Amino acid sequence: MTENLTRHPGHGVTTTIHLTDPDGRPRVEVVSGVDSGDHLSDLLDAVLSVASDLELPTVLERFVRVSVELTGATYGAINVLDSRGESTTFVQAGVPAQLAAMMGHPPHARGVLSRIPDTGVLRLADLTQHPAFEGWPREHPPMGSFLGAAVRVRDQVYGYLYLAEKSGGFTDQDETTVIALAATAGVAVANAQLYSEGARREHWLRAGQEITTMLLSGADEEEALAHIAATAREVADADAAALALPGVGDELLIELADGHNAQSLIGAVLPRDGSSWAVLTEGSGMLVESISASRQVKIPAMRAFGSAIFAPLQTSGRGVGVLILLRRVGAPVFAPHDLATAESFAAQAALAFVLAEARHAQDVAALLDERERIARDLHDLAIQQLFATGMQLETVRRRSARGVDPAELTSIVEEALDNVDASVRQIRQIVYALRDPDAATGIIERLRREASLARTGLGFAPSLIVEMDGETVADSDYIIADLVDERIGPDKSDDVVAVVREGLANAARHAHASSVSVKVCVTGTGPTGTVRVEVRDDGLGLPAVRDRRSGTGNLATRARQHGGTFSLGAAPEGPGTLLSWEVPLG
């Protein structure tokens, strides 16, 4: 926005204000007339004040305040209306808050207010004398002189400015002042909307990343679904969110809901001719201006809501379900950009579900392969060895019956006993491997796998360092890697992997970090030795209020079981968080 000022000494000022909207299109409002230098300076200060902020509530409040101050009005307000002429946002000045609350809902575009033109102004010496005047609401203060103007955003009327009750009435100068301020407010509102849309889009992307991290880190499916509903409701500024999923009998029903009236929504079967089925079948989202006003709504609980968004949980042509976002009757209507971001979030969540299912199927296949290997080992090793032992004992029985020297038989029995012990050890190893498919994999390789999987949620690869007695274990040093496995042992290896997995998941879910490092240190042997895990990030640190502690609570329990310690707090140097877990080796 630029201002070209032409001063005419002794005659006044002509001011041309050039405005450019966020799309780069030029908008020009000309404010001219005989004016004092002080008023011009005040006007320019007001223009800059309104246009300098990117927070929409602040923009509207400043616009009303400077409009009142520059025109000398007693009362002022901006009324933002929806497509039906109903007020969605009302910011006022001059009327005490207690009195405003007593008057109830803000005014709609009716009576005199409906006569304000889309361009220019409506100026009245006494609005009560206008033919369209319909009277005052209860407790409304009396108002006479009136000046109203439309605020336009991208060539569309966004709302209306009302100014009332100026001593002596409003003037031509007030008209030109209001026109300039309304044009400035239009551009400022457009900028604030773009800023808000960008921030919300970033929030949507971050929420989608959290869902992906949860699912790929092995979170419970129902927990992930509940998180999707709660997150979508928060980000979309909706009053309720629901997930409609295919059920028994090829029905589509609401299985999860969050927010207002949630319990009454859960379990509702959605009709096949409704919006949800259409969205799931066609694969494209839908924005409904008002559910309560529709005659086709067959679910009573849905009639408590106004504007709604239906976004398909779909990826690669496969429909997983439908995300439904709802706002109460009277709340602002969802905008097209809300639908676009909700669709993107739903698609990302659906993709995460498909990837999680694929990973689960891969894990199941790997488990089946491992069990087949174990079955072969049981047959080829343990069973064959036991069969050979049985043959040895049968030999002892036959020779004993023939009266062979006992000393000769003793050596055969001792060899058979050794074979039995070997078979027992072999069976124990196989049974343990059956219980834990990762048992045959070294801990360092398992930690590398966890770091690789965390890359999806973090957006970058975390660093991983394993030390033994102060020396870093090289990737190719398999002998030292085996020593690390031997010192830690199988039971504590599972705990170390679980701690690293939870630490990386927490960093991806909450930290918003640019780097994450994992360090596992094995020091000493036996009861005096220790294994220590540190997960450090450079993110935002711990939130002031932590509403979910199940993951970190499990880590504390794992530490206590082995007589160790666990802590989660601020990093000792620089920003971020440090997770520390340490237990003795013995």
Side-chain angles (χ1 to χ4, degrees):
M1 179 184 69
T2 61
E3 299 86 14
N4 294 337
L5 310 180
T6 306
R7 294 181 180 272
H8 301 284
H11 301 286
V13 176
T14 298
T15 305
T16 306
I17 300 179
H18 298 276
L19 301 169
T20 302
D21 67 16
D23 297 325
R25 296 175 297 181
R27 295 183 54 193
V28 179
E29 299 287 347
V30 178
V31 182
S32 61
V34 178
D35 201 353
S36 69
D38 290 342
H39 182 79
L40 174 61
S41 178
D42 291 342
L43 174 59
L44 294 181
D45 287 344
V47 166
L48 294 175
S49 174
V50 172
S52 64
D53 206 289
L54 290 175
E55 296 292 340
L56 186 56
T58 305
V59 168
L60 298 180
E61 186 276 329
R62 285 184 180 177
F63 171 55
V64 174
R65 177 170 51 81
V66 298
S67 297
V68 168
E69 290 175 355
L70 289 180
T71 61
T74 303
Y75 307 106
I78 182 171
N79 198 8
V80 181
L81 308 172
D82 61 18
S83 59
R84 303 184 304 275
E86 304 291 329
S87 177
T88 60
T89 302
F90 189 77
V91 179
Q92 64 87 29
V95 178
Q98 185 176 3
L99 181 58
M102 294 173 62
M103 288 190 292
H105 65 78
H108 302 310
R110 302 191 181 99
V112 177
L113 301 182
S114 66
R115 304 301 177 90
I116 299 175
D118 291 348
T119 59
V121 300
L122 174 65
R123 190 172 87 185
L124 301 172
D126 187 350
L127 63 83
T128 63
Q129 301 304 311
H130 194 282
F133 180 69
E134 297 178 351
W136 299 115
R138 185 178 179 182
E139 307 295 343
H140 196 287
M143 298 180 183
S145 53
F146 177 83
L147 182 61
V151 176
R152 300 172 64 84
V153 175
R154 300 187 184 93
D155 297 328
Q156 299 292 325
V157 174
Y158 171 76
Y160 293 94
L161 172 67
Y162 308 144
L163 298 173
E165 200 62 18
K166 176 181 179 178
S167 178
F170 293 98
T171 64
D172 292 341
Q173 177 178 286
D174 295 329
E175 286 192 19
T176 55
T177 297
V178 165
I179 290 173
L181 290 175
T184 303
V187 176
V189 167
N191 285 331
Q193 288 176 335
L194 287 177
Y195 176 77
S196 177
E197 290 172 18
R200 183 168 294 179
R201 190 177 297 111
E202 181 183 356
H203 200 170
W204 275 116
L205 291 174
R206 190 178 300 158
Q209 187 182 63
E210 288 184 5
I211 297 299
T212 302
T213 302
M214 286 186 66
L215 288 169
L216 295 184
S217 62
D220 179 73
E221 182 175 320
E222 185 172 348
E223 180 185 3
L225 289 171
H227 190 71
I228 288 175
T231 302
R233 180 186 63 79
E234 176 189 353
V235 178
D237 195 22
D239 293 305
L243 286 174
L245 306 174
V248 180
D250 199 24
E251 297 284 358
L252 190 63
L253 67 155
I254 296 178
E255 292 196 7
L256 279 164
D258 182 81
H260 175 67
N261 219 23
Q263 290 303 317
S264 62
L265 292 172
I266 295 176
V269 178
L270 301 173
R272 289 190 172 271
D273 58 350
S275 302
S276 297
W277 270 105
V279 166
L280 183 64
T281 304
E282 298 172 7
S284 58
M286 181 183 299
L287 193 156
V288 178
E289 190 170 297
S290 178
I291 290 182
S292 62
S294 175
R295 297 181 179 179
Q296 299 179 350
V297 177
K298 299 178 181 179
I299 301 176
M302 298 285 279
R303 292 193 174 276
F305 299 96
S307 184
I309 283 177
F310 296 82
L313 290 160
Q314 188 175 61
T315 180
S316 301
R318 176 189 171 187
V320 178
V322 178
L323 171 64
I324 306 172
L325 300 172
L326 304 162
R327 285 179 178 170
R328 300 190 197 191
V329 176
V333 176
F334 285 113
H337 64 80
D338 293 321
L339 174 61
T341 48
E343 284 182 307
S344 177
F345 170 79
Q348 187 174 356
L351 177 61
F353 265 104
V354 172
L355 291 175
E357 287 179 353
R359 179 182 175 184
H360 177 68
Q362 186 179 21
D363 290 343
V364 171
L367 179 61
L368 292 176
D369 290 343
E370 185 68 10
R371 287 182 173 178
E372 288 182 5
R373 182 191 65 78
I374 293 171
R376 290 194 301 270
D377 289 348
L378 281 171
H379 179 271
D380 296 341
L381 299 175
I383 293 178
Q384 294 288 2
Q385 196 167 35
L386 287 174
F387 181 77
T389 302
M391 296 292 292
Q392 289 176 317
L393 294 176
E394 177 62 22
T395 300
V396 170
R397 186 182 66 81
R398 290 199 306 268
R399 292 185 179 184
S400 176
R402 295 198 304 266
V404 177
D405 184 9
E408 181 182 345
L409 297 179
T410 299
S411 63
I412 300 177
V413 171
E414 288 177 348
E415 183 179 353
L417 290 174
D418 290 341
N419 287 338
V420 169
D421 289 340
S423 297
V424 170
R425 288 194 300 271
Q426 189 68 244
I427 291 173
R428 281 178 177 172
Q429 292 177 358
I430 293 173
V431 169
Y432 185 78
L434 182 63
R435 181 174 62 87
D436 181 8
D438 279 330
T441 305
I443 186 172
I444 295 180
E445 181 59 32
R446 293 172 67 185
L447 292 175
R448 289 182 187 137
R449 186 189 307 170
E450 293 299 328
S452 177
L453 291 173
R455 182 171 189 165
T456 301
L458 291 169
F460 56 85
S463 67
L464 171 65
I465 297 175
V466 179
E467 291 184 355
M468 189 172 78
D469 295 332
E471 297 292 332
T472 301
V473 180
D475 292 347
S476 59
D477 198 337
Y478 300 108
I479 296 177
I480 300 300
D482 289 341
L483 290 176
V484 171
D485 288 328
E486 184 178 335
R487 288 196 188 184
I488 296 178
D491 291 337
K492 293 186 179 67
S493 293
D494 292 341
D495 289 325
V496 169
V497 172
V499 171
V500 171
R501 179 185 300 147
E502 181 65 24
L504 290 172
N506 277 339
R509 194 176 299 140
H510 305 299
H512 310 305
S514 59
S515 68
V516 178
S517 64
V518 177
K519 190 173 184 180
V520 178
C521 302
V522 180
T523 305
T525 60
T528 60
T530 61
V531 55
R532 179 180 179 84
V533 178
E534 291 184 352
V535 181
R536 184 190 305 260
D537 65 69
D538 62 353
L540 302 178
L542 294 174
V545 178
R546 297 166 61 195
D547 55 356
R548 185 172 177 269
R549 298 171 180 261
S550 58
T552 55
N554 290 339
L555 302 189
T557 300
R558 290 178 185 271
R560 285 195 302 270
Q561 288 175 345
H562 299 292
T565 60
F566 166 74
S567 65
L568 179 64
E573 68 280 343
T577 305
L578 174 63
L579 182 153
S580 179
W581 187 90
E582 184 175 357
V583 296
L585 292 175

